């Protein structure tokens, strides 16, 4: 099976996917306890398996290689989540003079930021997070998502405009400080 995968046999890949998708999904559900996240990470695992199929080792079991990819995907997800929390959920990053003047309740700020970011269209939110949370360049985002750098720029400008309209002035200033001056 591994040799067929390495050669790019789509039928073999489909068979592997059908056989292992539920086990991988269950693994991610146990880890994340979030259905949508588990689905996305399962999909990412099989995308990575296909993308790096030529590097598979015929001396290692297929199940071990699939779950090695799943574990890597999970670790990457944890890192992204930690980075996201550091940037979005921790108003401690905000200078004290701005934070005390801008809001009284840190939970109010966190909720406002989450609400504003979650109200972005999915692709725009993804582009925003890739740029401002994970630090990808326009060119890297362009390559990763298969879109032009002009589209990346346009989507980021639209996200900024949306955040400016959605958030109060004080919350927008804080978002601006967190994401655009770092």
């Amino acid at each position: 099976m591994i040799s067929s995968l390495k050669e790019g046999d789509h039928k073999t890949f489909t068979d592997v996917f059908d056989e292992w998708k539920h086990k991988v999904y269950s693994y991610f559900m146990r880890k994340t306890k979030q259905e949508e996240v588990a689905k996305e990470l399962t999909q990412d695992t099989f995308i990575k398996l296909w993308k790096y199929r030529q590097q598979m080792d015929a001396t290692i079991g297929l199940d071990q290689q699939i779950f090695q990819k799943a574990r890597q995907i999970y670790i990457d997800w944890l890192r992204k989540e930690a980075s996201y929390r550091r940037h979005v959920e921790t108003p401690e990053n905000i200078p004290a003079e701005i934070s005390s003047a801008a809001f009284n309740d840190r939970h109010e700020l966190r909720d406002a930021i989450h609400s504003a970011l979650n109200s972005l269209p999915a692709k725009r939110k993804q582009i925003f997070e890739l740029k401002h949370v994970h630090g990808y360049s326009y060119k890297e985002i362009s390559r990763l998502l298969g879109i032009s750098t002009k589209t990346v720029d346009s989507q980021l400008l639209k996200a900024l405009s949306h955040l400016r309209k959605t958030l109060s002035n004080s919350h927008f200033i804080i978002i601006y400080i967190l994401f655009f001056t770092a």
Side-chain angles (χ1 to χ4, degrees):
M1 227 178 204
I2 292 175
S3 61
S4 293
L5 277 175
K6 287 178 81 165
E7 293 171 9
D9 185 339
H10 292 279
K11 168 112 176 62
T12 302
F13 179 75
T14 302
D15 292 343
V16 168
F17 177 76
D18 289 341
E19 182 178 339
W20 290 95
K21 66 183 175 188
H22 297 296
K23 293 174 187 168
V24 173
Y25 173 78
S26 295
Y27 167 79
F28 287 126
M29 274 301 293
R30 282 192 311 275
K31 296 287 191 183
T32 67
K33 298 181 182 24
Q34 298 178 49
E35 188 175 321
E36 287 304 312
V37 171
K39 286 179 185 177
E40 184 177 323
L41 296 179
T42 299
Q43 183 179 29
D44 290 347
T45 299
F46 286 99
I47 289 170
K48 191 171 190 174
L49 183 71
W50 178 256
K51 185 176 180 181
Y52 296 105
R53 68 188 179 276
Q54 292 176 337
Q55 297 169 0
M56 293 178 75
D57 186 341
T59 64
I60 300 173
L62 180 60
D63 59 335
Q64 188 176 353
Q65 292 185 70
I66 290 171
F67 280 97
Q68 182 180 26
K69 298 270 186 262
R71 190 170 43 255
Q72 290 169 344
I73 294 287
Y74 178 64
I75 290 168
D76 289 346
W77 178 80
L78 285 174
R79 284 186 184 129
K80 288 176 188 174
E81 284 295 300
S83 176
Y84 182 79
R85 284 189 186 105
R86 264 195 316 278
H87 285 87
V88 175
E89 292 184 359
T90 55
E92 294 79 24
N93 296 335
I94 301 164
E97 63 275 6
I98 293 172
S99 103
S100 63
F103 63 97
N104 295 324
D105 183 3
R106 290 180 187 271
H107 296 292
E108 174 192 327
L109 172 65
R110 187 190 64 223
D111 292 346
I113 291 170
H114 274 291
S115 179
L117 290 176
N118 287 332
S119 69
L120 291 170
K123 195 64 142 185
R124 192 170 298 156
K125 178 182 176 188
Q126 180 184 25
I127 292 168
F128 180 89
E129 289 176 344
L130 287 170
K131 175 66 179 152
H132 296 293
V133 175
H134 305 297
Y136 285 81
S137 69
Y138 280 41
K139 192 178 281 189
E140 290 170 324
I141 297 169
S142 170
R143 267 188 269 129
L144 185 66
L145 300 179
I147 57 177
S148 73
T149 54
K150 287 186 179 200
T151 301
V152 172
D153 183 52
S154 169
Q155 290 299 307
L156 288 171
L157 287 172
K158 288 177 182 177
L160 182 62
S161 174
H162 175 78
L163 293 174
R164 185 177 287 128
K165 289 176 190 171
T166 305
L167 295 168
S168 68
N169 282 339
S170 58
H171 290 161
F172 179 75
I173 290 167
I174 293 166
I175 280 266
Y176 189 84
I177 290 167
L178 284 173
F179 291 112
F180 300 101
T181 61

